[in-house]
């Protein structure tokens, strides 16, 4: 898995519990998204609205348990962002 996926996952994991919830992904991208783009963690085109963040979550939640492990998350962002 890419280092960028780990940096992004850790930035979005607001409660530092090692998983991501839909609410965390949406809130963190809204709050931290512009900074993450400026730091080169995600491309500017990869930063979307709440609906886009929710869709990313749904795509990544492979087992349907409503939380994302790092592996689920990394699989999607590595493919989506070409890492």
């Amino acid at each position: 898995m890419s280092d960028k996926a780990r940096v992004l996952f850790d930035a979005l994991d607001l409660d530092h519990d090692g998983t991501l919830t839909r609410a965390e992904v949406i809130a963190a991208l809204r709050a931290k998204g512009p900074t993450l783009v400026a730091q080169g963690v995600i491309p500017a085109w990869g930063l979307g609205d709440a609906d886009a963040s929710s869709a990313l979550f749904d795509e990544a939640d492979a087992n349907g348990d409503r939380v994302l492990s790092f592996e689920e998350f990394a699989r999607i962002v590595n493919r989506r962002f070409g890492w």
Side-chain angles (χ1 to χ4, degrees):
M1 301 294 168
S2 77
D3 291 338
K4 285 187 177 184
R6 173 50 73 185
V7 170
L8 182 55
F9 184 89
D10 290 345
L12 300 181
D13 187 10
L14 298 176
D15 63 6
H16 309 288
D17 69 350
T19 63
L20 299 175
T21 64
R22 180 186 310 277
E24 257 180 327
V25 170
I26 292 169
L29 284 174
R30 290 183 71 169
K32 297 180 178 184
T35 300
L36 294 169
V37 168
Q39 293 172 341
V41 175
I42 56 175
W45 59 263
L47 187 60
D49 60 10
D51 289 338
S53 298
S54 187
L56 172 72
F57 183 92
D58 288 339
E59 183 180 353
D61 188 15
N63 63 6
D65 65 355
R66 298 185 197 173
V67 294
L68 301 182
S69 66
F70 172 69
E71 292 76 17
E72 287 175 311
F73 179 79
R75 193 171 14 255
I76 294 304
V77 297
N78 284 331
R79 186 180 79 228
R80 184 174 280 195
F81 298 142
W83 295 334

